[in-house]
């Protein structure tokens, strides 16, 4: 195995912020990181980027680990797994950042800024007449009008620091420079330093911003490749500059910015709101929204198997150059390549995700699929009397029509509950007093039956029809309507056998009552 590229051990990191549920884009980033690490025999680090205390959501960190577990993603180093490059939570690495930001200040590459929120507002106001709204920022055009260590004397700055005047530390953007970030799938990405603002590196609370922490940590954790979402590309210029400012340019990781996953209509980035609006999952696992308290179903709760979700996600921005669409995880690990990653955003195709799931369900051994169905019934708190063999029979009989594990229940709910209504209209013109008598006699036959298995029931019904001198077809439709409530469901003898003698008789009796209104 090749665990080094350019003599650098392969170390990748997935660096989520614990600010909410891990959505599809994040999951796909995690998956690609995992595939590449597995292929190269490297290490996958899970780093918690929790420097924004205002956006911190309790439970989000644990949730990320649960998603990894469900998807079968192996993490090598993290707060839970340990490792020699910890701590793996940024809020616990405060002292490290301090040391490096000091290095930048000493080198004149960063500076203290003491401006109050009111002063910042006043600055925006005063530049309104000379600059377009979106160009008013703390940068080389404005910085010399502000209260910072560039405009104050060394003594004044020291005094403010000694007096504990709140401050932030900002990067000092070079005046006129093209910053170039080499992206492995996009080529060289250029940033004009004149257009970039003097981003805050250290906040007033003493914690670093994401921009600073990400660079320090990727360096200290010896990250070889950064595979992250395209939403971070606009910030990548600042990151590249920081790598240089800190003197680490030759250790810079290989950058890969993955394309966005768009809304199903292609109109913007897929968001949490789309999940609610369109009833489509965007989280791997159920997520409880911190503000509304709403439970948002994930792919798991919708009835997906993790292998199908992984396959779908893997193929949403990568292919192996052939038309093959279904890959086992081992095949993905073997065939995945950075070169074949797409860089254009693609719409989220939920139908395709379901197609993958259906494909996996059809291929699964019956016992494994039955286990999934059993778990689903437990989650839905469905009481039933079925043995494993009966559930396996149900799975075999119905899997061709099921795309999601939940479909086994949703499409066959009549096997678990009596029908709540009977579609009497389905029998209009086909029901009369004679039919009623026929079914009363059938009840007697069923009561006497001592074998209610599918095969035997088949003969029982045939014999019954022969004795009554009618065709089997004559009783099949009314029997189905009485058993399930309408013109749907698996074969009637299978239904009878599965729900059992007592339940069958009860449903026919209830059906006869309901049908008395039309005859
Ligand atoms: N903490 C960032 C996030 O929440 C990760 C950005 C990166 O990978 O550099 O997505």
């Amino acid at each position: 195995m090749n665990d080094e590229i350019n003599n650098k051990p392969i170390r990748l990191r997935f660096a989520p912020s614990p600010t909410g549920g891990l959505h599809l884009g994040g999951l796909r980033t995690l998956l690609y990181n995992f595939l590449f690490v597995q292929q190269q025999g490297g290490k996958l680090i899970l780093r918690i980027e929790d420097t924004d205390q205002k956006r911190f959501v309790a439970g989000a960190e644990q949730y990320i680990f649960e998603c990894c577990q469900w998807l079968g993603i192996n993490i090598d180093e993290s707060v839970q797994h340990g490792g020699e490059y910890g701590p793996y939570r940024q809020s616990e690495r405060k002292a490290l950042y301090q040391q490096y930001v000091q290095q930048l200040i000493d080198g004149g590459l960063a500076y203290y800024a003491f401006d109050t929120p009111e002063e910042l507002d006043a600055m925006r106001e005063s530049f309104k007449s000379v600059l377009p709204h979106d160009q008013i920022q703390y940068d080389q055009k404005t910085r010399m009008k502000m209260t910072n260590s560039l405009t104050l004397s060394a003594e004044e700055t020291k005094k403010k620091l000694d007096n504990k005047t709140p401050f932030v530390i900002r990067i000092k953007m070079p005046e006129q420079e093209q910053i170039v970030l080499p992206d492995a799938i996009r080529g060289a990405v250029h940033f004009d330093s004149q257009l970039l603002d003097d981003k805050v590196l250290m906040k007033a609370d003493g914690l670093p911003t994401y921009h600073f922490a990400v660079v320090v940590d990727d360096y200290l954790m010896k990250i070889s490749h950064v595979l992250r979402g395209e939403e971070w590309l606009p910030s990548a210029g600042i990151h590249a500059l920081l790598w240089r400012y800190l003197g680490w340019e030759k250790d810079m990781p290989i950058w890969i910015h993955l394309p966005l996953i768009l809304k199903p209509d292609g109109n913007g980035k897929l968001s949490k709101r789309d999940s609610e609006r369109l009833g489509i999952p965007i989280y791997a696992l159920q997520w409880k929204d911190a503000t509304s308290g709403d439970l948002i179903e994930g792919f798991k709760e919708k009835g997906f198997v993790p292998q199908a979700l992984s396959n779908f996600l893997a193929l949403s921005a990568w292919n192996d150059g052939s038309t093959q669409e279904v890959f086992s995880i081992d095949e993905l690990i073997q065939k995945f390549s950075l070169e074949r990653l797409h860089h254009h955003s693609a719409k989220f195709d939920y139908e395709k995700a379901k197609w993958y799931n259906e494909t996996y369900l059809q291929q699964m051994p019956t016992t494994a699929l039955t286990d999934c169905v059993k778990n689903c019934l437990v989650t839905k708190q469905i009481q039933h009397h079925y043995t494993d063999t009966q559930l396996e029979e149900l799975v075999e009989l119905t899997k061709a029509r099921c795309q999601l594990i939940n479909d086994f229940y949703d499409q066959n709910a009549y096997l678990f509950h009596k029908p709540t209504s009977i579609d009497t209209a389905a029998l209009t013109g086909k029901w009369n007093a004679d039919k009623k008598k026929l079914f009363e006699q059938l009840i007697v036959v069923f009561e006497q039956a001592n074998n209610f298995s599918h095969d035997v029931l088949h003969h029982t019904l045939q014999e019954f029809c022969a004795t009554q001198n009618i065709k089997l077809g004559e009783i099949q439709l009314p029997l189905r309507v009485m058993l399930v409530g309408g013109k749907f469901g698996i074969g009637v003898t299978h239904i009878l056998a599965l729900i059992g003698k007592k339940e069958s008789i009860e449903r026919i009796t209830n059906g006869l009552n309901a049908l008395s209104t039309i005859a």
Side-chain angles (χ1 to χ4, degrees):
M1 254 194 266
N2 171 19
D3 69 347
E4 293 195 7
I5 287 180
N6 296 338
N7 296 324
K8 208 170 166 186
I10 301 298
R11 291 176 56 80
L12 274 70
R13 73 349 181 241
F14 178 60
S17 299
T19 53
L22 185 58
H23 58 76
L24 271 189
L27 285 172
R28 194 187 57 186
T29 300
L30 170 64
L31 179 70
Y32 286 150
N33 273 280
F34 167 74
L35 295 177
F36 189 65
V37 160
Q38 290 290 314
Q39 181 187 74
Q40 302 288 329
K43 294 264 187 282
L44 180 56
I45 292 102
L46 198 153
R47 184 173 70 226
I48 301 294
E49 302 209 323
D50 59 347
T51 55
D52 192 347
Q53 302 282 297
K54 285 196 253 25
R55 293 181 61 221
F56 178 83
V57 172
E61 182 183 304
Q62 183 55 29
Y63 176 86
I64 292 161
F65 283 101
E66 283 163 14
C67 291
C68 290
Q69 200 180 12
W70 185 64
L71 284 170
I73 286 182
N74 212 41
I75 303 291
D76 297 293
E77 297 171 25
S78 75
V79 283
Q80 291 197 355
H81 301 80
E84 49 179 309
Y85 296 88
Y88 292 94
R89 225 181 253 117
Q90 288 183 328
S91 58
E92 293 165 19
R93 299 171 64 82
K94 234 165 143 176
L96 292 167
Y97 308 120
Q98 207 56 54
Q99 167 191 345
Y100 292 107
V101 84
Q102 194 58 50
Q103 181 185 322
L104 294 180
I105 292 177
D106 295 346
L109 301 168
Y111 60 93
Y112 297 103
F114 301 97
D115 315 273
T116 61
E118 294 73 33
E119 284 167 337
L120 291 169
D121 285 346
M123 179 266 277
R124 277 184 212 105
E125 203 49 45
S126 69
F127 277 91
K128 250 183 180 167
S129 53
V130 270
L131 285 174
H133 174 72
D134 58 350
Q135 281 181 29
I136 307 176
Q137 52 185 9
Y138 209 117
D139 62 7
Q140 43 198 291
K141 294 189 285 310
T142 58
R143 65 162 86 106
M144 294 315 282
K145 303 239 167 5
M146 307 304 291
T147 316
N148 53 48
S149 54
L150 302 175
T151 56
L152 299 172
S153 68
E155 294 74 50
E156 282 170 320
T157 302
K158 185 172 178 309
K159 204 161 144 206
K160 280 200 182 288
L161 292 175
D162 290 346
N163 288 345
K164 307 248 175 303
T165 311
F167 66 86
V168 296
I169 299 174
R170 291 182 178 271
I171 187 170
K172 190 174 170 210
M173 274 291 147
E175 261 160 45
Q176 235 181 348
E177 199 181 298
Q178 283 291 314
I179 304 166
V180 182
L181 179 110
D183 183 290
I185 60 172
R186 292 161 198 270
V189 185
H190 293 260
F191 299 87
D192 180 349
S193 73
Q194 276 184 308
L195 303 176
L196 299 177
D197 64 329
D198 289 354
K199 280 260 178 295
V200 172
L201 302 180
M202 292 296 268
K203 297 177 288 178
D205 62 6
L207 279 170
T209 54
Y210 154 72
H211 301 292
F212 191 53
V214 78
V215 172
V216 172
D217 289 345
D218 284 347
Y219 170 73
L220 292 179
M221 293 183 179
K222 297 197 165 51
I223 300 304
S224 62
H225 296 69
V226 169
L227 263 87
R228 64 180 178 187
E230 187 186 329
E231 61 270 35
W232 300 106
L233 192 57
S235 319
I238 295 150
H239 302 167
L241 185 68
L242 278 169
W243 276 88
R244 200 180 76 211
Y245 272 9
L246 288 159
W248 301 333
E249 208 174 8
K250 67 169 188 13
D251 293 314
M252 201 157 75
I254 292 171
W255 301 95
I256 298 106
H257 287 89
L258 300 163
L260 298 179
I261 301 181
L262 303 177
K263 293 177 197 296
D265 63 7
N267 226 343
K269 192 177 154 195
L270 185 68
S271 75
K272 194 176 81 188
R273 248 167 268 120
D274 299 315
S275 169
E276 289 152 22
R277 192 171 54 91
L278 304 167
I280 52 176
I282 63 155
Y283 297 125
L285 307 176
Q286 176 171 279
W287 173 251
K288 185 173 179 182
D289 188 89
T291 21
S292 64
D294 291 347
L295 285 178
I296 306 164
E297 280 188 337
F299 277 84
K300 179 178 180 212
E301 292 71 29
K302 286 276 182 199
F304 279 79
V305 289
Q307 297 86 343
L309 178 60
S310 296
N311 194 157
F312 164 71
L313 284 176
L315 271 280
S316 69
W318 172 88
N319 65 51
D320 75 341
S322 73
T323 51
Q324 185 178 343
E325 291 190 289
V326 179
F327 293 83
S328 68
I329 283 288
D330 286 344
E331 272 180 297
L332 287 173
I333 291 172
Q334 199 197 335
K335 297 194 170 164
F336 180 71
S337 59
L338 299 178
E339 297 74 39
R340 293 209 61 84
L341 278 170
H342 314 162
H343 58 82
H344 48 263
S345 303
K347 296 177 199 168
F348 172 45
D349 185 350
Y350 186 48
E351 291 309 312
K352 189 75 190 187
K354 287 200 285 189
W355 176 84
Y356 270 108
N357 204 59
E358 181 182 355
T359 307
Y360 274 81
L361 295 192
Q362 307 311 324
Q363 288 176 356
M364 257 166 106
T366 304
T367 46
L369 188 48
T370 307
D371 283 343
C372 296
V373 173
K374 276 160 68 179
N375 287 338
C376 165
L377 294 172
V378 171
T379 312
K380 287 181 178 281
Q381 299 182 328
I382 306 298
Q383 307 287 341
H384 66 85
H385 62 270
Y386 296 121
T387 61
D388 285 1
T389 318
Q390 283 177 309
L391 286 177
E392 279 172 19
E393 190 185 327
L394 169 68
V395 162
E396 275 299 318
L397 282 168
T398 57
K399 73 174 183 185
R401 288 182 290 115
C402 293
Q403 281 196 304
L404 304 171
I405 293 168
N406 294 15
D407 289 345
F408 285 95
Y409 171 72
D410 295 343
Q411 293 184 11
N412 302 306
Y414 59 84
L415 294 173
F416 298 87
H417 316 277
K418 286 187 174 52
T420 47
S421 64
I422 302 285
D423 179 12
T424 51
L427 297 177
T428 312
K430 294 179 186 132
W431 189 252
N432 53 39
D434 289 345
K435 282 272 166 66
K436 186 173 182 229
K437 272 197 209 110
L438 206 60
F439 276 90
E440 283 163 352
Q441 286 167 36
L442 184 62
I443 290 178
V444 176
V445 172
F446 280 172
E447 274 165 350
Q448 286 162 0
N450 43 29
N451 186 330
F452 225 67
S453 69
H454 162 249
D455 294 342
V456 172
L457 276 164
H458 192 67
H459 291 295
T460 313
L461 284 183
Q462 269 178 336
E463 255 173 53
F464 175 74
C465 290
T467 332
Q468 300 291 335
N469 206 17
I470 55 164
K471 290 209 180 89
L472 188 59
E474 280 190 57
I475 60 163
Q476 255 169 341
L477 179 64
L479 184 52
R480 171 179 298 286
V481 172
M482 285 187 267
L483 292 174
V484 308
K487 293 202 277 186
F488 52 83
I490 54 174
V492 277
T493 43
H494 283 294
I495 301 171
L496 289 165
L498 281 165
I499 64 175
K501 174 167 156 172
K502 183 166 163 285
E503 180 71 13
S504 298
I505 293 171
E506 274 175 27
R507 291 194 190 189
I508 297 169
T509 311
N510 293 346
L512 290 178
N513 286 337
L515 286 165
S516 61
T517 56
I518 64 161

